[in-house]
Amino acid sequence: MKMVKCFMICEYFKCALVDVYISCRCFPIISNLHVTLTNKSFVCGQLMRLAYLIGYGMDIERSPVNSAALSMLPWPKPAVWPSFPPDASNEVLAKEKKILQANTRPKHFGIHRKPLPLEPSLLLREANRRRASLSAGNMFELSPSFAEGLSLDALRTPPPNKIPASSMSRTNSSPGNFEGSLDRPMRISEIHVAAEHALQHTISDPDLWKCLSSVQNFEQKYLDLTKGAADNYHHSWWKRHGVVLDGEIAAVYHKHGNFDLAAKSYEKVCALYSGEGWQDLLAEVLPNLAECQKILNDEAGYLSSCVKLLSLDKGLFLTKERQSFQSEVVRLAHSEMKHPVPLDVSSLITFSGNPGPPLELCDGDPGTLSVTVWSGFPDDITLESLSLTLAATYSADEGVKAITRSTATILNPGKNNIFLALPPQKPGSYVLGVLTGQIGNLRFRSHSFSKGGPADTDDFMSYEKPTRPILKVFKPRPLVDLNAAISSALLMNEPQWIGIIVRPIYYSLKGAVLHIDTGPGLKIVDTHVIEIESYTKVLQTSTQNTVDDRNSVSAATKEFTQLTLNDGKIQLPDWANETTSVLWFPVLASDKRLARGTSSVAPQKQSIVDGMRTIALKLEFGISHNQTFERTVAVHFTDPFHVSTRVADKCKDGALLLQVTLHSQVKATLTILDTWLDLQPGFVHTGHDDGRPSSSILPLIISPSSRAGILFGIRLGSATTGDEAEALEQGSILNIKYAISGNRTIGAHAPVDGESSASEGNELGLLFRSALVLQRPVLDPCLSVGFLPLPSGGLKVGQLISMRWRVERLKDLEEHAVSPDNDEVLYEVNANSENWMLAGRKKGHISLPIKQGSRIVISIICVPLVAGYVHPPQFKLPKVDEANISCNPAGPHLVCVLPPTLSSSFCIPS
């Protein structure tokens, strides 16, 4: 039925319009659906053109499709345009009044659209041109559809009476004399009246004339035809055409206030236009949808429509219109929305990293990330909060990490540079993910366009830029190194410069703070400032320069600074951010013990642990002092000399030559200015009573790591037994006044304060004291211990054997006292319990007469337990010093023990 109805309307048009009103083609009756749908859509357009001919154009909703269809359809081209009847003056006046009072209804947001030139100018020009042509048979201007099936008589109308052309006014709407001739141009109102009267005499179908009799009837007829065509399209594969026609239906609904149905149709139309990229058509329809949504209190939909309007091409709307879109968005964002929804503003706000290399940070470092944000809003807009997400490129399991900027951000139209505080991230490479933020109470989200962004332009749309890293965080690596500047030993009990090398490893130490904590036995000298200088300059400094000369030279350069220690902390200067530097600070290592010399007969091993001191260092650096480096540095302190003694010779008069050997223990030149020896009781000086050396060789210069010898003449003096015991505990004191010449960059040097210890004669110099233990029986032992030979039969396991030792007094007790007990000597026999079993007394006292040559034999029964070469039992005199004992002959180191004799035994039952 719809198909038959479509062709019936076409026949109505053919019979009614003839060649005066429209050039309508005659379509044969076929069963093709596409042709049928096209015919029905074409009939709707032709019917709309008829309405324009009779003056309904100002009351018809100009939708995009209607405007496009009517602009492409030609106006009728009859040979002679019909004139209006003589008695139609009232109708012309009514048409004139209606044209003058017609006002175009403005769209929502105050949008004004200039209509397409459909009428009246083109219609007026075309109609008067046809009237001026007196050719009644101008068939070549007719369309082929009119030439088929129409007689020549039907194409002609009686020509009206002619009047002078000068009496015709050229105005379009002013009232005037309606009587005229063919030469007088017709006004637009006259054209409408003439067309309406011609249709009344031509259309024979009452239904067709009814639809053209009033605007309301026309709209109802047009709505029925459009719905029928839309339904046919929706039931076919041409669904998009049906959606377009739904937009025409929505325009009529919107005009009459049926906003609910209009909004539903407009949503489908806008989705189609947006998907196809038809922004010009979308700009015509979307404001109507927004108006419907606002009236229906659809806040979410209205907000989305406003954002879409802002996202369209800037040339489609005026600046004031775009500003009204933004004002609606801001108004809704700061209002209390009943159902707030997240908003996608990726078409308005997009972002990317700045051109150039990505931001490079180390593990644990915060930073400041610079991001370019493009705003498509026509005016400035304030974002209450802004956050970005970073996505790791190396692992999808890491997820995304948000970077939030809590302060308000004002986005200007176009390009904006935003700086965000970046918290420490895990090592890896990161790209930008999603931008989110808040405008008032509205939370928005931007995505899909953050793939690099344009580098040097303000265009905020970017589809083709590849994703590139915006941040690179390096894996944990050493960022700085702290080491002692010297490895040689420094002077004990004297203020010395300690050097700490601070070496940044491709990392800035701007604002770094060094904490210094000295260990036990070491303190920082507070009376002096701390110095820092370039490590390169330290290497270039000549060792011949003194400390004062070097400081005067370094102070003139920017790579030398004097610092102050505050609560154990030092802040490094700015020039040391990227370069290796040396930090010098004075310390004093204290050791209250008196240095003790050694004897060449019984040398003692030096312990390096005694002079070791530690310094705990902690460096805080990084962008916000989040990086720390801790290290404990060990520094060795020592005495300038190591003293060893030996008796060089014994003269006939009993005098002794004591040789004192001085070993230099520092990397510096030592100059001995003076030396003297304070002897312990039981010894006296020979020659010089003041204790000076026997020969004048001072001053004596000792090079680094070298040695020198000094001879003192002494002899044995009279002393009681009590004095001699006290002398053994105290010992003699060797005093050395010396000077040191060195450089702090290579080791020991002159003390920091420059003050020297005062000695006799008020001469300046450093004083070193060492204790020397001199034993009176240096060359003459008092006792002799000998091991008596073993039996000739040898030793066997399990066999009893007598071990014997002989003790003999070599000197009288009156001259060489050894023990306060006079004739009592303590002995002790020690043996390995796994090798020997002792059957006698292992420890006891023996009575040894005080007369020289007195002797006694001590024997003990032993049983060897194992065969082989084993150590024999050892005989000792615990209370007698080894220097007073002469072993002659020496005891055997190993003895051979044979296995036991083979034997057999019988088991007898009990």
Side-chain angles (χ1 to χ4, degrees), residues 599-601 645-659 683 714-716 724 773-784 810-811 816 881-887:
S599 173
S600 59
V601 178
T645 60
R646 75 182 186 93
V647 176
D649 194 7
K650 179 179 180 181
C651 301
K652 294 182 178 179
D653 58 354
L656 303 176
L657 288 179
L658 179 64
Q659 179 181 350
F683 296 90
I714 62 175
R715 69 170 60 246
L716 297 176
E724 189 172 357
V773 178
L774 301 180
Q775 298 178 352
R776 294 189 68 233
V778 177
L779 296 180
D780 299 325
C782 298
L783 300 175
S784 175
L810 301 178
K811 294 183 179 180
H816 304 284
D881 191 79
E882 293 183 357
N884 294 321
I885 300 174
S886 174
C887 296

Side-chain angles (χ1 to χ4, degrees), residues 602-761:
Q604 298 178 359
K605 294 183 179 181
Q606 294 288 327
S607 176
I608 194 174
V609 180
D610 296 338
M612 194 68 67
R613 300 292 186 271
T614 58
I615 303 175
L617 303 173
K618 179 182 179 181
L619 185 65
E620 294 180 351
F621 59 101
I623 298 176
S624 58
H625 286 187
N626 60 297
Q627 300 283 0
T628 58
F629 181 83
E630 299 182 12
R631 172 166 290 180
T632 301
V633 178
V635 185
H636 185 212
F637 292 86
T638 186
D639 297 320
F641 304 101
H642 171 66
V643 180
S644 61
T645 60
R646 75 182 186 93
V647 176
D649 194 7
K650 179 179 180 181
C651 301
K652 294 182 178 179
D653 58 354
L656 303 176
L657 288 179
L658 179 64
Q659 179 181 350
V660 178
T661 303
L662 304 178
H663 301 260
S664 174
Q665 298 188 120
V666 294
K667 287 187 177 181
T669 300
L670 299 172
T671 302
I672 300 178
L673 303 177
D674 191 10
T675 180
W676 65 95
L677 179 62
D678 296 331
L679 290 175
Q680 65 193 60
F683 296 90
V684 295
H685 290 283
T686 60
H688 300 281
D689 295 336
D690 55 0
R692 262 52 179 190
S694 57
S695 60
S696 178
I697 58 174
L698 303 179
L700 179 63
I701 298 176
I702 303 177
S703 300
S705 302
S706 61
R707 66 181 65 186
I710 302 176
L711 292 177
F712 292 92
I714 62 175
R715 69 170 60 246
L716 297 176
S718 59
T720 61
T721 305
D723 295 337
E724 189 172 357
E726 182 181 357
L728 288 175
E729 295 180 0
Q730 180 180 357
S732 302
I733 303 299
L734 176 64
N735 302 276
I736 301 176
K737 188 172 70 171
Y738 69 99
I740 183 171
S741 176
N743 194 306
R744 71 181 183 183
T745 61
I746 60 174
H749 50 276
V752 175
D753 53 4
E755 298 178 358
S756 302
S757 302
S759 60
E760 296 179 2

